[in-house]
DNA sequence: GTCGTGTGAGAAAGCGTTTTCTCACTTTGT
DNA sequence: ACAAAGTGAGAAAACGCTTTCTCACACGAC
């Protein structure tokens, strides 16, 4: 009648089979206190025979911890957030934690509700919500703690934060173009309400101030391939000699659109991306971009969250400065025809 | 003394404040039975004042369901699995379910343990484990039910399964190349132990049988960009006029490597991918590939899992036949020099 | 021989819910 | 008016565990 598989047997079954109390089984399973060697062996044998494993739910309830954390990202379809998730997931796995994941894209208006609901099922939360209004975030955070923020530089002080410095990061990119000789530039912006778009704009504003001879225009783009692809037509015939795309995805869409239109990159037009997603180095031509260590961002988020969970003071906030990755989508502008 | 925020108050606090028993609070919160209108209002007021929400853990323990399902994927860094995850996640979210995600890449040898452990924390599991030995899978499944399998055609019958038919899917691809005039082809294979690689090989074998005049050689590749990139050097000087890459990632790596070597695609060499990941249409040249509806795969997996959870009989297994997506990375072979 | 002092194991009290069981208090039927 | 049937709410059991509290027993010390 010994079934080595089947539905989970409760601790009481093990206790009964071993002829001891549940307390003793619990003690054995958790390696607690000193329990007589012979009895412990009997318990272990019984547990093995019944294929016993403690019910994690019951365990969580009584212990007040789930060894699970939530990760909320705005779009599971975006390589950047995918990598963040992967970074958190891997790091957390090493510490024996599981990930509860949610994609807020579907329910942008109820992002807050979603976050709270997720949070209550686990021990802590990593919040990547670039477009959540600051006020809402501030309201929410007390309910969410322990929490770590990704890419919410404005919220520094509210919770441990890991960020990429998009403002500083775009500077080398645009300076690179300037150094190549570009003076008429376009910035194909992302969603205007996004914090990181604002940061890029600040960085670009600083650039303009430093180089009054350069002209930089912001044009509406988006955050996805399609947005870049769509923008190609407008940009192809324009007077711009270089365009900074909001991110790599948009840049790739643009690259593809331009190729279809017969515009040569970088000969006719230089293009830059942002993020350095894995595919950026495999585009044609390989994309000049600002490299953001997203996996690292996820890992560092986990480190801080873990500290909070075990009641240590987390490491200081970290702000990754993206580094310029020069590839082949940028080159000096063609000799202006006006010279002719 | 009314704190509208703060640590979660238990149901007993609400009961006390409303001057009723916990049972009544529970009934009100769950809209059960008929409870006196006046009392119900009092309870709701108390709950609101205390910002009460039932503890999901306790709820799960007693109700025996968590409204959470696990998704196990072999690599969170791979666009294909990312899309599957997204597909499951979105569909599950619509039904009010959360996703517990795990990346087995780190612990390939303990994939089984991981699966069981995840499964015990929730109501069901979606298993995407293309390289798990069939015997292990069969052993594991009883413990995992309810479960749904993705891309394990060999396991049909053990659990509801959604698959892409890689064997049938590669056929139109290679036939397309054959029709273009290619007779010397290379298949840049993935991991030999993977089920979907075996399926592709079967499809290709059938092709060879049907076209004795064509020569097709299998060469070792891999599953990632880097693998394709690395293979470029070998393939560049070869006599092959077309190469079928294991998947789009490999194809893109290959494209990039070939571009660096000055090999023109498709003029000098035709290249195909597999999967039709979002970026495939934005490569240069856009990639001819077999389109696998991965998001759909995830969604269908969820549908079946949901059925199992609510004790309905799930829809029949579904086997998506990838469809040929002809883009611009394939063309007739260059006129052979041997003719000269 | 009595008094600490350990030691090891069982009993019981939670953890925060839901749900069944009970029962007091109306209504209704006659 | 009196039993039968309904209502609505509290008490208590259950979910499966961990942990504190208790206590029986055996040991050396005085």
């Amino acid at each position: 009648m010994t079934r080595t598989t089947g539905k989970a047997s409760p601790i009481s079954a093990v206790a009964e089979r071993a002829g001891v109390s549940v307390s003793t089984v619990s003690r054995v399973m958790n390696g607690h206190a000193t329990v007589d060697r012979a009895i412990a062996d009997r318990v272990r044998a019984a547990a093995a025979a019944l294929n016993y494993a403690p019910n994690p739910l019951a365990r969580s309830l009584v212990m007040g911890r789930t060894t699970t954390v939530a990760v909320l990202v705005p779009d599971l379809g975006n390589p950047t957030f995918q990598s963040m998730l992967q970074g958190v997931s891997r790091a957390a796995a090493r510490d024996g934690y599981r990930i509860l994941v949610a994609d807020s894209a579907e329910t942008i208006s109820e992002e807050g509700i979603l976050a709270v609901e997720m949070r209550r099922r686990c021990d802590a939360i990593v919040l990547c919500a670039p477009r959540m209004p600051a006020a809402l975030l501030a309201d929410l955070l007390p309910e969410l703690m322990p929490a770590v923020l990704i890419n919410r530089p404005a919220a520094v002080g509210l919770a441990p934060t890991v960020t990429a410095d998009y403002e500083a990061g775009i500077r080398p990119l645009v300076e690179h173009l300037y150094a190549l000789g570009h003076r008429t530039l376009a910035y194909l912006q992302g969603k205007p309400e996004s914090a990181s778009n604002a940061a890029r704009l600040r960085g670009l504003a600083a650039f303009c101030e430093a180089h009054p001879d350069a002209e930089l225009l912001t044009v509406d783009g988006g955050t996805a391939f399609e947005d870049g692809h769509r923008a190609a037509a407008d940009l192809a015939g324009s007077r711009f000699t270089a365009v900074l795309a909001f991110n790599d995805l948009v840049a790739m869409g643009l690259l593809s659109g331009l190729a279809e239109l017969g515009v040569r990159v970088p000969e006719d037009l230089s293009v830059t991306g942002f993020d350095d997603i894995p595919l950026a180095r495999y585009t044609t031509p390989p994309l000049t971009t600002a490299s953001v260590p997203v996996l690292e961002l996820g890992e560092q988020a986990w480190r801080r969250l873990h500290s909070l969970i075990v009641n240590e003071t987390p490491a200081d906030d970290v702000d990754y400065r993206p580094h310029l990755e020069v590839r082949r989508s940028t080159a000096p502008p063609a000799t202006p025809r006006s010279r002719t």
Side-chain angles (χ1 to χ4, degrees), chain A residues 2-11 13-14 47-53 55:
Chain A
T2 312
R3 41 176 202 172
T4 58
T5 179
K7 297 297 93 186
S9 23
I11 195 173
V14 181
L50 294 174
N51 191 25
Y52 171 74
N55 179 321

Side-chain angles (χ1 to χ4, degrees), chain A residues 155-301:
Chain A
V156 164
L158 296 181
T161 301
V162 302
T163 46
D165 189 341
Y166 292 96
E167 177 173 353
I170 203 167
R171 195 67 190 269
L173 217 43
V174 66
E175 293 283 0
H176 162 68
L177 291 172
Y178 183 86
L180 286 174
H182 295 278
R183 292 298 178 270
T184 320
L185 312 165
Y187 168 52
L188 196 53
Q189 79 169 342
K191 309 232 171 161
E193 67 271 30
S194 118
S196 79
N197 188 63
R200 287 171 176 81
L201 284 173
R202 282 196 303 278
L204 292 174
F207 162 80
C208 289
E209 204 158 314
H211 302 285
D213 58 326
E215 182 195 0
L216 193 151
L217 213 76
T218 297
V219 308
D220 282 344
T223 69
F225 305 108
E226 289 69 20
D227 300 314
H229 195 261
R230 198 177 314 120
D234 281 350
L235 263 16
S238 70
R239 61 196 211 290
F240 302 115
T241 61
V243 25
L244 298 122
F246 175 72
N247 63 21
D248 290 346
L249 255 37
V250 173
M252 291 175 72
L254 182 58
L255 242 39
S256 149
L258 291 172
E260 288 169 16
L261 296 170
V263 177
R264 294 166 308 161
V265 174
E267 293 81 357
D268 303 332
L269 187 62
S270 284
V271 170
T272 66
F274 210 115
D275 286 347
D276 197 20
I277 63 176
L279 291 86
R281 44 177 308 204
Y282 296 105
T283 56
T284 315
L287 198 59
T288 294
T289 190
S291 181
V292 178
V294 235
L295 265 170
E296 184 76 12
L297 233 54
E299 289 199 25
Q300 293 297 331

Side-chain angles (χ1 to χ4, degrees), chain A residues 7-89:
Chain A
K7 297 297 93 186
S9 23
I11 195 173
S12 56
V14 181
E16 197 176 337
R17 186 180 231 269
V20 299
S21 73
V22 292
S23 333
T24 302
V25 179
S26 173
R27 279 189 281 257
V28 172
M29 298 304 291
N30 295 293
H32 270 186
T34 68
V35 31
D36 190 87
R37 182 62 187 268
I39 295 191
D41 285 347
R42 226 164 65 222
V43 168
R44 267 187 286 270
L50 294 174
N51 191 25
Y52 171 74
N55 179 321
L57 248 57
R59 211 151 186 278
S60 296
L61 179 59
V62 65
M63 299 182 61
R65 62 197 202 97
T66 60
T67 51
T68 299
V69 298
V71 175
L72 184 65
V73 295
D75 178 12
L76 265 182
N78 185 315
T80 301
F81 304 123
Q82 288 163 350
S83 291
M84 277 178 194
L85 172 62
Q86 195 189 6
V88 179
S89 165

Side-chain angles (χ1 to χ4, degrees), chain A residues 97-110:
Chain A
Y97 276 72
R98 309 269 156 261
I99 299 293
L100 206 51
V101 63
D103 177 343
S104 62
E106 304 279 299
T107 47
I108 177 113
S109 63
E110 304 182 8

